């Protein structure tokens, strides 16, 4: 392959990204007369995985690995990942990978402040257990108080003109009663969840990570040049002997130290993990579950010591790991999913689930009914705000 062919491949995301922008501002109306070029370039790759496009252009394996190395951001390898999903992230990163100056907690606290300063109330420690529907309308929502006796929990009813549902749409549909939803929505709700993950949040001290090549960026490591094989080994065979994973050093992204102890740096590791496997281990053999978590962390640290920081363990002062069941327990995300519905071509179509529920006053607002990730979440919420208020902000 010649260099100009490589550039040709890199020009496609650019072209498709601007096509997405045109279509998005036109409300994804695939009108071939109004937006012929944009619609056609999006249409052409609608069923393609990233691997399909690599093969179409005969990209050498090493170049494929380089372009797909960011796979932990999707939790999918190139042979399953929607080319369109890859384009959205790849081109967004070219425009800038931003991080909140005062960290994510400040963003959340600011949102809470806006809600409360405008007369809103946030009720904590309550779990929605039912949506009561009459005549295609949610008349009220029932929640239970998690701080009360769970054998006989205290329940509360909430009613509103408009119900916006942030939880997973499938989970909500079960409570609404699937029979209350239209056939179109039922079909759209038939999605598979994205893979779950394994996270390690660590702190190191008495070390300058900068000297070891870390900085204002993420590092993506792979032991094998074949990312499809690497993903399958970890996800399906639970074999982490030669792992592929992401390394994040958020302390470089802002001057604000937050509550990080003086002289310490945060370093995070992320890779894929199979929910069913971890769930079974946890339920049947707690010590095997803990052993597996230790084994994965050690495999990633071994790779760090071999390739980046020779005496990493000597500097490690804090570590905490999270498995798929941790995600499920803390985030209440079904099957410990990372990004809502799986980002395959089947799910990345114009007929993807959106805010519509087919009920008169209820709207979905979640990664599976919009887009995943921090930026995707904001976009999903903003789009719904625009739809409900008519106020155009993006
Ligand atoms: C470990 C991990 C690390 C990640 N790291 C990043 C990252 O670095 N950058 C990034 O961009 N994205 C990251 N993501 C992805 C990102 O977190 C999600 O895409 C995003 O949170 C989706 O937002 P959401 O509002 O759709 O759903 P969620 O954030 O899952 O919000 C749904 C909310 O509904 C609540 N809920 C569920 N059921 C009920 C109920 N019955 N009653 C009341 N409340 C309920 C849940 O508690 C939750 O608060 C990460 C995901 C995971 C799991």
């Amino acid at each position: 392959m010649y260099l100009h062919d490589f550039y040709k491949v890199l020009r496609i995301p650019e072209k498709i990204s601007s096509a997405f922008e045109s279509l998005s501002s036109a409300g994804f109306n695939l009108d071939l007369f109004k937006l012929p070029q944009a619609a056609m370039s999006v249409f052409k790759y609608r069923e393609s995985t990233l691997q399909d496009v690599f093969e179409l252009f005969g990209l050498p394996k090493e170049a494929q690995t380089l372009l797909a190395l960011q796979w932990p951001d999707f939790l999918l390898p190139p042979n399953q990942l929607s080319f369109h999903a890859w384009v959205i992230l790849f081109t967004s990163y070219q425009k800038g990978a931003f991080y909140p100056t005062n960290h994510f907690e400040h963003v959340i606290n600011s949102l809470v402040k806006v809600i409360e300063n405008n007369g809103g109330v946030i009720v904590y420690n309550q779990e929605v257990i039912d949506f009561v529907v009459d005549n295609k309308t949610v008349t009220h929502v029932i929640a239970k108080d998690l701080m009360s006796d769970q054998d006989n929990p205290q329940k509360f009813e909430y009613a509103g003109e408009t119900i916006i549902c942030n939880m997973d749409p499938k989970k909500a549909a079960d409570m609404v009663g699937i029979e209350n939803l239209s056939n179109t929505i039922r079909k759209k709700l038939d999605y598979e969840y994205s893979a779950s993950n394994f996270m390690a949040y660590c702190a190191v001290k008495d070390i300058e990570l900068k000297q070891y090549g870390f900085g204002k960026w993420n590092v993506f490591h792979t032991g094998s040049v074949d990312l499809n094989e690497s993903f399958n080994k970890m996800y399906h065979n639970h074999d982490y002997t030669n792992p592929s994973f992401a390394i994040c050093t958020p302390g470089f992204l802002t001057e604000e130290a937050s509550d990080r102890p003086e002289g310490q740096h945060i370093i995070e590791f992320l890779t894929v993990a199979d929910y069913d496997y971890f769930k079974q281990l946890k339920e049947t053999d707690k010590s095997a579950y803990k052993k597996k978590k230790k084994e994965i962390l050690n495999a990633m640290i071994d790779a760090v010591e071999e390739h980046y920081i020779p005496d990493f363990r000597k500097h490690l002062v804090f570590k905490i790991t999270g498995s798929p069941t941790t995600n499920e327990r803390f985030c209440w995300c079904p099957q410990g999913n990372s990004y809502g519905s799986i980002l395959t071509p089947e799910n990345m179509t114009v007929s993807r689930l959106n805010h519509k529920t087919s009920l008169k006053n209820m709207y979905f607002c979640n990664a599976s009914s919009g887009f995943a990730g921090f930026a995707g979440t904001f976009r999903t919420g903003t789009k719904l705000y625009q739809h409900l208020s008519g106020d155009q902000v993006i």
Side-chain angles (χ1 to χ4, degrees):
M1 175 186 230
Y2 295 106
L3 205 54
H4 70 264
D5 286 331
F6 190 62
Y7 283 134
K8 216 156 78 185
V9 178
L10 291 183
R11 289 299 307 275
I12 302 171
E14 214 177 88
K15 211 165 120 190
I16 293 186
S17 169
S18 64
F20 274 135
E21 270 165 32
S22 313
L23 288 173
S24 172
S25 43
F28 265 90
N29 174 13
L30 274 181
D31 186 334
L32 296 182
F33 293 105
K34 279 193 198 141
L35 292 158
Q37 272 195 320
M40 286 314 284
S41 57
V42 170
F43 190 73
K44 186 172 171 189
Y45 297 104
R46 74 197 184 285
E47 289 177 352
S48 303
T49 62
L50 179 56
Q51 190 69 43
D52 291 334
V53 178
F54 286 160
E55 271 152 34
L56 189 69
F57 286 86
L59 222 63
K61 197 62 153 185
E62 289 73 12
Q64 293 183 19
T65 312
L66 197 63
L67 287 173
L69 207 50
Q70 222 176 322
W71 73 264
D73 283 341
F74 306 98
L75 266 322
L76 265 192
N79 66 1
Q80 290 183 59
L81 177 63
S82 147
F83 179 61
H84 282 166
W86 178 80
V87 165
I88 292 171
L89 195 80
F90 186 79
T91 52
S92 302
Y93 267 100
Q94 306 311 311
K95 290 177 198 151
F98 300 101
Y99 184 84
T101 308
N102 292 306
H103 304 281
F104 287 105
E105 70 208 42
H106 180 71
V107 180
I108 304 303
N109 291 339
S110 304
L111 290 174
V112 169
K113 225 188 255 173
V114 171
I115 292 169
E116 292 181 341
N117 288 350
N118 285 279
V121 176
I122 301 180
V123 183
Y124 297 99
N125 292 314
Q126 288 195 16
E127 178 181 355
V128 171
I129 52 171
D130 202 6
F131 292 91
V132 181
V133 178
D134 184 35
N135 189 26
K136 297 269 167 219
T137 306
V138 176
T139 57
H140 55 285
V141 177
I142 302 176
K144 69 171 180 178
D145 184 352
L146 295 172
M147 304 309 276
S148 64
D149 173 10
Q150 290 306 287
D151 289 333
N152 184 23
Q154 202 179 353
K155 292 182 186 161
F156 295 92
E157 284 187 16
Y158 298 96
E161 263 175 43
T162 303
I163 311 287
I164 297 173
C165 176
N166 180 213
M167 79 173 84
D168 171 65
K170 271 214 250 211
K171 188 171 158 180
D174 276 348
M175 293 183 200
V176 163
I178 200 82
E179 67 286 354
N180 286 315
L181 303 174
S182 71
N183 283 338
T184 313
I185 298 297
R186 286 188 214 182
K187 230 187 247 166
K188 288 178 191 237
L189 282 167
D190 190 22
Y191 52 79
E192 193 186 323
Y193 289 112
S194 55
S196 193
N197 60 65
F198 181 90
M199 285 282 325
Y201 298 92
C202 304
V204 286
K205 74 171 204 184
D206 300 329
I207 183 170
E208 272 313 320
L209 290 175
K210 214 176 186 169
Q211 288 174 4
Y212 295 87
F214 294 94
K216 275 188 175 195
W217 47 81
N218 294 331
V219 172
F220 293 93
H221 172 84
T222 187
S224 159
V225 80
D226 188 333
L227 295 176
N228 297 315
E229 184 198 279
S230 193
F231 181 94
N232 285 340
K233 258 178 80 177
M234 294 187 292
Y235 190 49
H236 297 296
N237 303 341
H238 321 122
D239 175 354
Y240 290 83
T241 47
N242 193 18
S244 181
F245 58 96
I247 310 173
C248 182
T249 46
F252 287 104
L253 302 175
T254 171
E255 301 285 301
E256 170 56 52
S258 184
D259 52 3
R260 173 160 45 99
E262 176 102 23
Q264 294 193 11
H265 296 280
I266 295 168
I267 182 159
E268 302 168 1
F269 306 105
L270 161 75
T271 191
V272 72
D274 174 8
Y275 169 79
D276 289 334
Y277 173 73
F278 271 93
K279 172 104 180 143
Q280 205 219 349
L281 272 188
K282 192 161 187 193
E283 280 174 359
T284 58
D285 188 346
K286 270 240 166 77
S287 76
Y289 166 81
K290 284 186 187 157
K291 202 168 147 210
K292 191 70 192 176
K293 278 175 77 180
K294 259 191 198 152
E295 178 200 306
I296 300 175
L297 177 63
N298 274 325
M300 293 196 287
I301 294 180
D302 285 346
V304 169
E305 292 202 331
E306 187 181 341
H307 299 278
Y308 307 94
I309 308 170
D311 49 0
F312 182 81
R313 281 186 176 85
K314 209 176 89 191
H315 298 282
L316 192 59
V317 288
F318 174 82
K319 57 181 190 293
I320 188 164
T321 52
S323 79
T325 50
T326 321
N327 282 351
E328 185 182 47
R329 187 158 54 95
F330 275 94
C331 313
W332 288 359
C333 49
Q335 297 175 21
N337 77 75
S338 309
Y339 298 129
S341 54
I342 190 168
L343 297 165
T344 51
E346 295 73 37
N347 274 330
M348 289 297 291
T349 62
V350 280
S351 57
R352 180 178 169 82
L353 184 71
N354 62 16
H355 60 264
K356 288 182 194 157
T357 63
S358 75
L359 297 177
K360 287 178 193 160
N361 63 338
M362 180 177 170
Y363 300 89
F364 294 131
C365 187
N366 177 269
S368 301
S369 66
F371 291 105
F374 196 73
T377 299
F378 270 80
R379 188 176 170 82
T380 307
T382 310
K383 283 273 184 193
L384 180 57
Y385 165 77
Q386 286 190 166
H387 173 78
L388 294 174
S389 68
D391 179 16
Q392 290 292 312
V393 288
I394 48 169

